[in-house]
Amino acid sequence: EVQLVESGGGLVKPGGSLRLSCAASGFTFSNAWMNWIRQAPGKGLEWVGRIKSKTDGGTTDYAAPVKGRFTISRDDSKNTLYLQMNSLKTEDTAVYYCTTSAYWGRGTLVTVSS
Amino acid sequence: DVVMTQSPLSLPVTLGQPASISCRSSQSLVHSDGNTYLSWFQQRPGQSPRRLIYRVSNRDSGVPDRFSGSGSGTDFTLKISRVEAEDVGVYYCMQATHWPPWTFGQGTKVEIK
């Protein structure tokens, strides 16, 4: 059974940092292009960024609102995806999901507030 | 970025009746490889999104056959042949032809009359 389990969310002050993790199982993680999607309270879905598989170059791309502040990485030996979030803003408050598109985690809530 | 526009944004439906959601893209979603990367997602209240349809018309495993996707170019449709109570939620179209970024429609809220 495919599972994606996000963790690391919480309350952080504006300007602070947080690192989210996504533990994957049930599929060949190392071959997967992985994405982070977020959903602000009561709003729609917003793509945050993507990391390709290492065999496809392992490169990353980011949405304009987070570029330069967020960094996606992966550890294929641990089947884990990461999202390092720096210089957080109140508008980054959202549930963050990791996904391959076909598979989604349950999400982890990040609240940026003073 | 490609803009995805859904209509209607709210869809009250009667149980057992059909429902249809439209999604239009600001440019053609035909990829240079010949595929069209348009997907539909369902998000039930309090749950994560779930993919229902990929590449316009392919149902994901476990998705009831009352859900169907169609369309081409810039115009796409998700149809529910007979709405059931468990179909209540928000439905999103998404394009992955011109990415990054993936872009989503605003969402269509399906509710029972």
Side-chain angles (χ1 to χ4, degrees):
Chain A
E1 180 196 3
V2 171
Q3 279 200 314
L4 293 169
V5 180
E6 302 92 341
S7 60
L11 175 63
V12 60
K13 288 182 168 49
S17 298
L18 211 55
R19 188 175 86 152
L20 306 184
S21 299
C22 170
S25 60
F27 65 102
T28 307
F29 178 76
S30 60
N31 290 346
W33 292 22
M34 297 298 299
N35 296 265
W36 287 98
I37 304 292
R38 68 184 180 183
Q39 186 170 37
K43 302 295 185 183
L45 302 172
E46 180 186 22
W47 180 82
V48 172
R50 171 206 72 193
I51 185 166
K52 294 182 180 180
S53 63
K54 284 199 167 50
T55 54
D56 289 319
T59 54
T60 52
D61 288 284
Y62 301 93
V66 309
K67 198 168 186 178
R69 300 188 298 123
F70 289 12
T71 303
I72 298 173
S73 60
R74 63 191 301 157
D75 185 337
D76 291 343
S77 68
K78 295 181 179 179
N79 286 351
T80 301
L81 176 72
Y82 300 101
L83 179 64
Q84 177 67 45
M85 305 185 293
N86 298 329
S87 303
L88 282 160
K89 306 175 180 180
T90 55
E91 53 263 41
D92 295 320
T93 294
V95 174
Y96 285 74
Y97 299 100
C98 67
T99 177
T100 64
S101 173
Y103 307 117
W104 292 67
R106 293 192 174 191
T108 186
L109 175 62
V110 172
T111 303
V112 184
S113 174
S114 54
Chain B
D1 297 352
V2 177
V3 177
M4 306 297 288
T5 303
Q6 289 181 227
S7 63
L9 299 185
S10 177
L11 184 57
V13 295
T14 301
L15 286 173
Q17 292 301 302
S20 179
I21 300 170
S22 171
C23 175
R24 290 187 171 173
S25 56
S26 59
Q27 57 184 282
S28 173
L29 298 186
V30 180
H31 193 275
S32 56
D33 66 8
N35 291 308
T36 299
Y37 295 99
L38 183 286
S39 299
W40 288 95
F41 296 86
Q42 174 195 61
Q43 189 173 30
R44 290 171 171 153
Q47 295 189 13
S48 306
R50 167 199 183 194
R51 196 177 70 180
L52 300 175
I53 302 284
Y54 63 97
R55 273 188 270 131
V56 181
S57 59
N58 296 275
R59 264 191 309 275
D60 275 279
S61 175
V63 174
D65 61 8
R66 64 179 181 274
F67 289 94
S68 64
S70 63
S72 63
T74 60
D75 289 333
F76 304 93
T77 303
L78 175 71
K79 289 184 179 174
I80 310 174
S81 59
R82 291 174 305 279
V83 171
E84 297 189 5
E86 66 178 18
D87 299 335
V88 164
V90 181
Y91 292 78
Y92 297 92
C93 61
M94 185 208 79
Q95 72 83 24
T97 294
H98 305 284
W99 75 306
W102 286 355
T103 47
F104 293 88
Q106 316 97 301
T108 294
K109 186 173 185 178
V110 172
E111 58 185 10
I112 305 300
K113 278 183 186 173

